[in-house]
Amino acid sequence: MEERLKRCVALGKEAAKEGQVASYIPELKKGNPEDVGICIVDLQGKVYGAGEFKKNFTLQSITKVISLLLALEDRGAEEVFRHVHMEPTGDSFNSIMSFEVKNPTKPFNPMINAGAMVVSSLILGDSPEERIQRLLAFTDRLSGTPGHVIDERVYRSEKETGDRNRSLAYFMKSTGIMEGNTEEILDLYFMQCSILGNCQDIAAMGAVLASNGRHPFTGERILKKENARIVKTIMTTCGMYDASGEFAVSCGIPAKSGVGGGILGAVPGVLGVGTFGPALDRKGNSLAGIRMLEYLAHDMDLSIF
Ligand SMILES: NC(=O)CC[C@H](N)C(=O)O
């Protein structure tokens, strides 16, 4: 396995040369495009890693999986899906057009920004502070590693420049889909995107999903089986944004990407995998991550299809 992962990293480094580090959030420009890492956590809790698999990065849209799981555990699926659909969009993750023109009643799915903001608004807590603390504590539980924090610089950078997300949020306020204090919900969303984690953290989360909600490190059940199933399905259809269809064919692993360069993968009944490589393609997915996951899927016969 060590050899296989080293080979992945070599392939990932090669693929990363074609990509660009995200720049629309100024602080993310500091990412090093040559960083590449991968980690696998199997369902017995064994950890295998190569490259920069212990290096922290902001989880960004990978936290859409965490917030959806928490909202599902907090509120139940019926209530969550009263506020958000579960359909792929075919448009970019922060598209306004798709949302307003095609379907103004509720956001298409929880893996695009509009849907994720509505989902975060459903997380229980009496104050924004309590909500973000619950989200951080849940990140600790899912990853099996305590002490997750927010990258304050990325958070501030996003808050200062997040006009697109602000537009989406206020549009949803105007149609009545998103209830509550819009600025507080935006703030929660910006903070959640800035949660720091590494490949091992996201591989462990993938393993929890892969084992239908049991933690591979402790055997403890931390998610309802049904919620793990729902989230894996939505990752398959929507997790790589408007590249989800192609990724399902080329790789076939339920996955979720983030513009910080991470991808979380969950192979049902087999393993969780986390990849890192901040050089992105034009759709906002990590090039190294895609290459490594495609290689792994073929080499280990991991496609679910
Ligand atoms: N694709 C992503 O990772 C997007 C998350 C980013 N924080 C944003 O809201 O634009």
Side-chain angles (χ1 to χ4, degrees):
M1 186 63 100
E2 307 292 329
E3 282 312 307
R4 179 182 277 138
L5 296 188
K6 277 190 197 145
R7 170 102 182 107
C8 282
V9 170
L11 290 169
K13 278 190 196 280
E14 203 45 46
K17 289 180 184 157
E18 307 292 315
Q20 299 282 328
V21 172
S23 57
Y24 76 104
I25 300 169
E27 197 58 30
L28 291 185
K29 271 191 268 187
K30 294 182 182 164
N32 177 359
E34 282 168 24
D35 281 345
V36 173
I38 184 165
C39 183
I40 283 180
V41 174
D42 72 16
L43 299 199
Q44 288 69 48
K46 253 185 118 27
V47 178
Y48 308 88
E52 302 281 0
F53 78 104
K54 295 266 188 187
K55 182 160 185 164
N56 270 349
F57 51 91
T58 53
L59 297 182
Q60 296 293 340
S61 283
I62 295 172
T63 64
K64 293 178 167 102
V65 167
I66 306 172
S67 55
L68 177 59
L69 285 168
L70 186 55
L72 286 168
E73 296 283 316
D74 276 356
R75 303 268 196 163
E78 207 182 308
E79 177 66 5
V80 169
F81 293 110
R82 251 182 3 96
H83 293 81
V84 62
H85 285 292
M86 35 179 118
E87 297 303 336
T89 65
D91 294 304
S92 68
F93 60 81
N94 57 7
S95 168
I96 293 183
M97 185 275 294
S98 71
F99 183 27
E100 183 176 8
V101 177
K102 295 188 195 160
N103 186 359
T105 58
K106 31 181 187 176
F108 273 97
N109 70 69
M111 300 289 127
I112 53 169
N113 292 7
M117 285 190 267
V118 172
V119 166
S120 295
S121 79
L122 299 173
I123 291 171
L124 294 179
D126 289 335
S127 62
E129 184 57 22
E130 190 183 336
R131 288 194 174 122
I132 188 66
Q133 287 309 331
R134 290 193 66 236
L135 203 53
L136 284 166
F138 193 58
T139 305
D140 288 355
R141 279 192 86 195
L142 282 172
S143 64
T145 307
H148 281 87
V149 292
I150 284 159
D151 183 320
E152 287 291 332
R153 287 201 183 148
V154 175
Y155 159 62
R156 276 198 299 273
S157 185
E158 252 195 275
K159 193 176 160 87
E160 278 159 21
T161 59
D163 298 324
R164 175 67 71 106
N165 287 326
R166 230 169 241 115
S167 310
L168 287 166
Y170 278 98
F171 174 71
M172 290 191 288
K173 182 187 179 189
S174 77
T175 61
I177 308 159
M178 201 166 77
E179 295 154 25
N181 181 314
T182 311
E183 282 303 319
E184 282 180 7
I185 295 163
L186 275 160
D187 219 38
L188 174 61
Y189 175 76
F190 293 140
M191 283 195 228
Q192 103 176 38
C193 289
S194 310
I195 295 175
L196 285 163
N198 60 29
C199 289
Q200 184 180 315
D201 291 325
I202 55 178
M205 293 182 204
V208 174
L209 290 167
S211 69
N212 290 323
R214 273 193 201 284
H215 208 289
F217 295 161
T218 59
E220 186 194 354
R221 170 161 298 284
I222 55 176
L223 299 174
K224 290 196 186 85
K225 183 177 176 190
E226 177 65 0
N227 291 343
R229 186 188 67 79
I230 291 171
V231 172
K232 273 181 289 189
T233 312
I234 294 178
M235 283 163 64
T236 307
T237 52
C238 313
M240 304 293 281
Y241 313 116
D242 44 332
S244 300
E246 193 181 337
F247 186 75
V249 172
S250 70
C251 182
I253 294 178
K256 180 74 204 90
S257 62
V259 292
I263 303 180
L264 176 163
V267 185
V270 184
L271 54 80
V273 52
T275 64
F276 173 51
L280 310 178
D281 64 16
R282 274 183 304 173
K283 295 188 172 175
N285 295 317
S286 165
L287 274 169
I290 290 178
R291 183 72 187 95
M292 291 191 282
L293 290 171
E294 284 174 355
Y295 175 77
L296 208 63
H298 287 119
D299 198 42
M300 296 178 70
D301 198 17
L302 297 177
S303 172
I304 64 170
F305 299 106

